[in-house]
Amino acid sequence: MHGISELSSEQNIMVVAFPAVRQSEGGPAAYLAPFAAAGVNMDMICQGLPQGDSASMSFTTSYDNWSIVMRTLPQVTAGKSGPAPLISGGYTKLTLFGQEMPNLCGVASRVMEVMAEAKVPIHLITTSSVDISLLVAAEDEDTALNALREAFSL
């Protein structure tokens, strides 16, 4: 049993990252709510471990939302301290799904090993009990997909 039954990819992904989201300034809700209100479908939301009052936070969205993100950023950052947000594009999201994952040990570890062996850097990782999502550079998509398909017999 490999634990992975499906593999999909989504191209044209961008990352919006905030290096220091402060709880005292409304925390993640203060950053995400304006994007949601503007119609940005956010995915792969990831918050780092807090360091005092702040933590890093990022999300992915389709690069098609670039203009909405850029129009919304001033509203999000107004009155907040800390470093400027980081915006970057040129990514592909890979999603590995497996209904068996909750009952298997080492599936995520094996996925990371496969990517390392294929020399594909992972820019962001999110998981749930039944899926693993990886953000890779668009130019690494084919290499990553081929390596994952072979490793998990997909």
Side-chain angles (χ1 to χ4, degrees):
M1 290 283 165
H2 296 293
I4 304 292
S5 58
E6 296 176 31
L7 171 63
S8 63
S9 65
E10 182 181 348
Q11 297 80 25
N12 201 32
I13 302 297
M14 65 184 280
V15 176
V16 179
F18 299 94
V21 172
R22 290 183 167 70
Q23 292 299 322
S24 60
E25 296 176 342
Y31 286 76
L32 299 179
F35 290 110
V40 175
N41 186 356
M42 296 168 279
D43 191 20
M44 293 186 79
I45 299 169
C46 183
Q47 177 180 301
L49 189 62
Q51 305 270 329
D53 184 48
S54 66
S56 63
M57 184 185 71
S58 61
F59 67 84
T60 63
T61 188
S62 169
Y63 199 77
D64 294 342
N65 291 320
W66 184 84
S67 62
I68 300 169
V69 167
M70 298 310 287
R71 282 194 310 267
T72 307
L73 274 174
Q75 177 186 348
V76 172
T77 58
K80 293 183 177 71
S81 59
L86 307 168
I87 314 290
S88 60
Y91 298 102
T92 294
K93 174 187 167 189
L94 306 176
T95 302
L96 298 101
F97 173 83
Q99 200 67 36
E100 300 168 342
M101 269 199 266
N103 302 313
L104 296 173
C105 293
V107 178
S109 175
R110 180 66 185 131
V111 168
M112 302 315 144
E113 289 171 354
V114 169
M115 293 293 89
E117 291 165 5
K119 298 186 180 357
V120 174
I122 300 169
H123 298 274
L124 186 63
I125 303 166
T126 59
T127 66
S128 76
S129 61
V130 294
D131 70 36
I132 301 167
S133 294
L134 309 173
L135 196 68
V136 301
E139 60 266 19
D140 292 328
E141 177 184 2
D142 289 339
T143 301
L145 286 171
N146 290 336
L148 291 165
R149 284 182 183 125
E150 183 177 330
F152 291 98
S153 303
L154 299 171

